[in-house]
């Protein structure tokens, strides 16, 4: 009785559900503390203290009424203005609150902007490996996701193939840096070249191609690495941001779209995105957390906790013989599977109570993703399993 | 550059935006306190004290970690179980947490269930007057909204026409009781007959037709009026609920879908709705407010405040010569326009600084909607304007 599109989805989701069930089964046998779940990007680091403080301040403020009521679909104007100012201060842009649309997380924001832009059969290009949900988001609006094959040397985008894949039907390009699943930050050189290619192709085809930067991991960059801000390099830029990882609030669904005021058809995009936010059923980003995040614009989660995990896992896996690029951001490590079949390797890992995700789910078979946003002890206890795994395969 | 669908939306939305701009213009000239905005269903009654208490309890509980993290896409199991129990206690049903999917408000829930069910060109029937967003929600998934024309005698659904409009392509029926915009509660007799018709047609066409009850106003029923619980009358029932009005939390986007365990293809619908919630970009209902509402299942907003507004407005408007059914629930009054053209009447009302919405927006021209979820004083101060309006038209 369910729709054909969803029928297909239910069928495909059974692999992930099977993994989830397997995790529960293992926890039942060995105890949850002996199952090492590296499968999900659910931050284990608690939000900074400022979050709790902000909630208490807002809720206890007797002068404020209607804090849980409706506001404009785009969010509170003062929240949007504060975010615009904070972006301007950090990146030297000159945007106003008009460029900011508060959204139900980055996932909500991406759906809003894709609904705004896509006609059926329009093409959206992304670079493998990529967050698998992009495929679903684009399909929601009958667009077609075109994946550029991975550059497994350093996991920077494969720009030669990218150029060849742009067509007159290319409406948008989604990039995600720091990247899920590799942790790689797309370099400034990459961004400059990518922007040049886009401008060239826009001219060639007489089209506008929007560059959508999905940036939930922007603040999770190690060793003071710089993450270029896209609107400085390319006019038709839209940034999807989320506080899910920067403030460890993924369950609260709070983020925004930044639509560059330099983008073609700016006014119409703003109006349409506002309406899309409403009619898709989001209506508005959660009210209380709009006010919370504006009090936490300079707060940060404890990045050092993730960094400790990163250093330990990277050093040890390399010493066992695994091959891997050292992640520069986010909390994922993308490791070459010691055997060709990444799904089979994940099954073998399961037998050591280690849950990881096949690279195929990210359009990059032959690799596996390890989400290291877990307790340090979980990594310590899982290491012997990782070691035994590769030794048994030698 | 925006999509064709959204281009149409932007064009159509200009009427509402024009009204909003007009309101701002009037407020600029006469002062906000002298502009009487009855155009929006934004509750002016504050949430019950239990809401604040619940937020403080949860945030201050030192034993709870990860309260802002991800949970299952369907929501916290204990929250879903508590809601299921509360429904069972109130309505004698026997559902479990499996029937409950936590959603980003009722608007989010409706989009989730429509994505779950609809193939392109599938038909969804609703009864005029109806909440205009249904048209957008159905269009999001390329379905077709079929409106049954209004029964302006008592605003109960026109069941004769309903029967004629059911076809083999009818996938769902949306009803909304207490109704926006009329405030009418669909009687038990209506529900029984409507269910019989649906069963008959299911048999005739060999199809399943889902009855979707959009119930954000369930708790706002005056004079102890009963609102029938649909799953007791019809197996293929899905209820979209929201705490937006029952707890005055519309900005927080918290609600649920109740999918009856008697519904055909129950297991697949549950799985698909779960996935739809994720891939539409909601991901999950806001985490903190899931925990908040479960502590407030028996809390109620001050219904008497709305009732006072209802009684005053109804009595006075009738005494001036307006025609109107007395609302039994919600906070809307649906008044016959003294002139045929409802939009023109709204323009005349604007000139008295009164903002109301034409019935055409609800598929019922010749009427206007007055949202009386405003301060009592706003009504008192607006009454002379209403009186002058109709006198000038006599």
């Amino acid at each position: 009785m369910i729709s054909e599109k969803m029928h297909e989805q239910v069928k495909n989701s059974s692999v992930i559900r099977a993994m989830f069930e397997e995790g529960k089964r293992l926890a039942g046998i060995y105890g949850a503390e002996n199952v090492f779940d590296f499968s999900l990007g659910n931050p284990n680091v608690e939000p900074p203290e400022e979050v709790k403080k902000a909630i208490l301040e807002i809720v206890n403020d007797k002068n404020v009424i209607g804090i849980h009521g409706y506001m404009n679909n785009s969010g509170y104007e003062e929240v949007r203005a504060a975010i615009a100012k904070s972006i301007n201060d950090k990146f030297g842009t000159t945007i106003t609150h008009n460029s900011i649309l508060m959204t139900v997380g980055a996932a909500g924001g991406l759906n809003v902007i894709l609904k705004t832009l896509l006609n059926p059969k329009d093409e959206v290009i992304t670079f493998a490996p990529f967050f698998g949900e992009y495929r679903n988001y684009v399909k929601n609006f009958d667009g077609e996701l075109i994946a550029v094959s991975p550059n497994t040397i350093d996991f920077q985008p494969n720009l030669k193939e990218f150029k060849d894949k742009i067509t007159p039907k290319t409406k948008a390009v989604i990039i995600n840096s720091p990247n899920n699943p590799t942790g790689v930050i797309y370099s400034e050189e990459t961004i400059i070249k990518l922007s040049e290619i886009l401008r060239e192709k826009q001219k060639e085809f007489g089209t506008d191609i929007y560059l959508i930067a999905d940036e939930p991991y922007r603040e999770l960059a190690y060793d003071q690495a710089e993450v270029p801000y896209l609107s400085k390099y390319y006019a038709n830029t839209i940034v999807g941001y989320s506080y899910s990882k920067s403030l460890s609030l993924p369950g609260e669904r709070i983020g925004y779209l930044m639509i560059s005021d330099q983008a073609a058809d700016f006014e119409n995009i703003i109006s349409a995105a506002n309406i899309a936010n409403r009619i898709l059923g989001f209506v508005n980003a959660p009210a209380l957390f709009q006010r919370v995040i504006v009090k936490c614009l300079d707060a940060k989660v404890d990045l050092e906790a993730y960094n400790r995990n990163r250093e330990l896992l990277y050093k040890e896996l390399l010493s066992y013989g695994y091959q891997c690029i050292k992640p520069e951001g986010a909390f994922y490590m993308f490791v070459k599977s010691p055997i060709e079949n990444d799904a089979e390797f994940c099954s073998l890992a399961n037998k050591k109570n280690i849950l990881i995700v096949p690279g195929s789910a990210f359009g990059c078979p032959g690799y596996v993703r390890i989400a290291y946003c877990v307790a340090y002890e979980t990594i310590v206890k899982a290491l012997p399993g990782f070691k035994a795994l590769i030794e048994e395969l030698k």
Side-chain angles (χ1 to χ4, degrees), chain A:
Chain A
M1 299 306 142
I2 61 175
S3 74
E4 280 162 37
K5 266 188 182 179
M6 290 310 299
H7 188 73
E8 202 186 316
Q9 286 284 354
V10 170
K11 225 171 54 192
N12 295 342
S13 76
S14 59
V15 183
I16 298 162
R17 214 173 41 235
M19 179 182 270
F20 181 72
E21 294 301 328
E22 178 67 7
K24 283 213 293 193
R25 194 184 68 83
L26 294 173
I29 301 173
Y30 303 101
E33 72 283 7
N34 296 313
V35 178
F36 315 116
D37 190 348
F38 298 99
S39 68
L40 285 175
N42 197 8
N44 75 309
V45 173
E46 286 290 305
E49 264 307 301
E50 287 93 332
V51 167
K52 179 177 167 180
K53 193 163 158 275
I55 296 174
L56 295 178
E57 265 176 29
I58 296 162
V59 173
N60 284 322
D61 186 342
K62 288 191 172 47
N63 297 317
V64 184
I65 60 160
I67 55 168
H68 305 298
Y70 286 126
M71 78 299 307
N72 282 345
N73 297 124
S74 47
Y76 294 112
E77 197 170 309
E78 64 271 27
V79 170
R80 295 158 60 212
I83 291 172
K85 183 179 178 303
S86 151
I87 292 172
N88 290 340
D89 290 349
K90 278 184 199 152
F91 309 116
T93 49
T94 55
I95 58 169
T96 71
H97 70 276
N98 280 326
S99 282
I100 305 294
L101 171 70
M102 301 306 297
T103 61
V104 173
L110 289 178
N111 274 282
V112 164
I113 198 64
L114 290 171
K115 181 168 180 76
T116 298
L117 296 175
L118 295 190
N119 283 317
K121 306 275 176 201
D122 275 353
E123 293 170 359
V124 178
I125 299 180
T126 197
F127 299 93
F130 59 89
F131 182 40
E133 291 289 84
Y134 296 160
R135 198 172 287 288
N136 295 321
Y137 299 165
V138 169
K139 220 187 280 175
N140 282 339
F141 310 103
D142 300 312
E144 291 187 13
L145 189 79
I146 308 292
V148 173
S149 49
N151 151 21
T152 54
I153 308 294
D154 58 7
F155 289 104
Q156 294 287 322
N158 181 337
L159 293 179
K160 199 181 159 309
E161 188 181 319
F162 171 58
K163 195 168 171 178
D164 294 341
K165 284 198 161 162
I166 302 174
T167 77
K169 294 199 78 55
T170 304
K171 193 61 179 274
V173 174
I174 305 179
I175 70 169
N176 173 217
S177 165
N179 183 262
N180 173 12
T182 65
V184 164
I185 295 173
Y186 291 2
S187 69
E188 184 174 34
E189 193 193 337
T190 293
I191 300 300
I192 290 172
K193 282 191 192 155
L194 186 145
S195 303
E196 274 166 12
I197 292 169
L198 282 173
R199 273 189 295 269
E200 199 180 299
K201 288 290 175 179
Q202 286 189 144
K203 214 167 160 188
E204 179 181 341
F205 297 131
T207 54
D208 276 294
I209 304 173
Y210 293 90
L211 181 58
I212 303 172
D214 178 26
E215 301 200 335
Y217 304 104
R218 164 166 284 281
E219 318 307 333
L220 306 191
Y222 305 104
D223 307 324
Q224 271 86 44
E226 290 253 348
V227 184
Y229 202 71
L230 275 285
S231 64
K232 287 159 63 177
Y233 304 90
Y234 187 66
N236 285 336
T237 287
I238 291 153
V239 177
Y241 189 86
S242 163
Y243 296 89
S244 292
K245 276 79 183 194
S246 64
L247 295 177
S248 281
L249 299 173
E252 305 298 356
R253 316 308 303 133
I254 181 78
Y256 64 79
L257 283 174
M258 189 293 290
I259 298 165
S260 170
D261 51 9
Q262 303 302 306
D265 214 15
F266 174 67
E267 292 292 344
N268 268 326
I269 293 178
I270 292 286
S271 303
N274 221 332
I275 296 170
N277 199 33
R278 195 192 83 218
I279 68 181
L280 281 172
F282 299 110
V283 182
N284 57 251
L288 176 63
F289 275 88
Q290 288 191 46
R291 294 187 194 264
V292 168
I293 57 99
V294 93
K295 286 175 179 269
C296 301
L297 287 179
D298 297 317
K300 295 246 176 330
V301 289
D302 178 14
L303 191 62
E304 188 44 36
Y306 295 133
N307 192 34
R308 241 173 24 128
N309 289 356
R310 176 181 78 129
E311 295 289 359
L312 174 69
L313 191 61
Y314 181 70
K315 191 184 68 157
E316 291 299 318
L317 291 188
L318 249 58
S319 79
Y320 306 155
Y322 288 97
Q323 291 174 45
C324 173
I325 288 279
K326 190 172 187 183
E328 302 163 277
F331 41 49
Y332 306 110
M333 213 169 274
F334 205 54
V335 179
K336 195 163 164 42
S337 168
I339 53 175
E340 204 183 325
N341 187 328
D342 50 334
E344 195 188 323
F345 180 65
C346 290
S347 297
L348 294 173
N350 270 7
K351 298 212 170 77
K352 308 266 186 242
N353 291 358
I354 293 172
L355 306 181
I356 51 181
V357 182
S360 316
F362 304 92
C364 187
Y367 288 77
V368 295
R369 187 191 76 172
I370 305 174
Y372 58 83
C373 48
V374 298
Y376 189 77
E377 294 65 38
T378 303
I379 296 176
V380 172
K381 287 172 76 175
L383 285 175
F386 278 111
K387 190 171 181 194
L389 253 175
I390 197 166
E391 281 174 359
E392 285 162 22
L393 288 168
K394 266 172 192 164

